Structures are given as structure tokens and as C-alpha cells.
Amino acid sequence: MGNRLTQIATRTGDEGTTGLGNNQRVSKNSLRVHAMGDVDELNSHIGLLLCESMPDDVRTLMVEVQHQLFNLGGELSIPGFELLKAEAVQALDQALEKYNAQLPKLEEFILPAGNRAASQAHICRTVARRAERATVALGNEEALNDAPRQYLNRLSDLMFVLSRVLNRMDGGTDVYWQSERMKK
């Protein structure tokens, strides 16, 4: 990885470019920078989620996710580099299995609502999907490893499941969509 920043306001981006981890300069509007930005935004939203009450095991998982997202962002910032390992995707698969097994089967669509923690988890889910789309778009133009795309796909699923887990804290439940078509 490149040098750690010691000066934040470098003014090197004033012309609309930014430096990648390999010292290459690219447009701030490039597909790579969009993907990096969406991953960074997702990590920030998870940081906000961590301000909420949640079970200790969920908190530990979310902190680990933040570290893995930093790895993912680092990998995106250095073309051809690998930081995010397949084991990180497997860890999300295991968490999905664990937490989904605790939940009742869904019989209707649910709204992105409920308590604050669950609602923030839904925001994380939607930002993860956007980051995934940006990563797929980048992968359509440049060679990327599979793990970043897979990790974001799995993480969005996990955030949906965790929103349901978080809604059940203190006796809550999912907020179901009231479909007019389904009522008839």
C-alpha cells in the first residue's frame, strides 16, 4: 500500500483527479473512484449503525465488516492487488446462516422500517447494493478479483437479515408491506 497520509489538504485533486494506491492519477469521476466512494460510504453507515444498541455478537461482526470493507476499498484503490480474501466472503456466509436460522420465515415483503438500528441496517443494505453495482460496473471495464463483488453481494443480504434481527430486540418485529393486491 502507498504511504500513509500526513497532510490531508494536498491540493493535488484540485484539477479533478485523485491518486490511487499505486500513485496513478485518475479522474474523480472514474468507475474505480465511484466504487471506492460507495464502499467508503457503506463503511461510514456501518459506523453510524454501531452507535445504536445491538447484541454484542452483532456488534463484533459489524466491526469485523468495517475492517474487511477497508480491505475491499484498499484493493479497489490498487489495480491488480488483492487484500480481501475468500475467507471474508465465507465468514459472511456463516453469519447469514447463523442469523437467518433465528428468524421466522418471511410470508410477505417487509418495509425498511422498525427501530433505529434496523432502519440503519436497511440503509447499509441499500448502500451495499449500490457499492456492488459500482464494483460490477468497474469489473465490466477492468479486471477485478471475485471477492469484492461477492463480499458486497453477501453483505447486502446479511444487512437485510440483521435488520430483522435488530427489529426483534426488545420484543419488536418486522414492519410488513400492506399490499392492496394481497388484501383482495
Side-chain angles (χ1 to χ4, degrees), residues 139-151:
N140 288 340
E141 300 296 320
E142 299 181 36
L144 286 181
N145 298 318
D146 291 336
R149 183 187 66 255
Q150 293 168 350
Y151 191 85

Side-chain angles (χ1 to χ4, degrees), residues 5 10 44 51 81 96 100 107 119 127 133 142 149-150 158 163:
L5 292 177
T10 63
S44 296
C51 294
F81 200 64
L96 266 166
N100 201 40
E107 296 182 18
S119 296
V127 176
R133 290 189 302 272
E142 299 181 36
R149 183 187 66 255
Q150 293 168 350
L158 178 62
S163 72

Side-chain angles (χ1 to χ4, degrees), residues 34-45:
H34 277 282
M36 290 165 39
D38 289 344
V39 168
D40 186 34
E41 182 182 351
L42 173 57
N43 209 343
S44 296
H45 277 293

Side-chain angles (χ1 to χ4, degrees), residues 4 9 17 60 62 90 102 126 134 152 165 178 180:
R4 300 289 193 261
T17 64
T60 299
M62 290 295 91
Q90 292 167 353
Q102 302 170 10
T126 62
L152 292 166
V165 168
Q178 301 297 314
E180 292 301 316

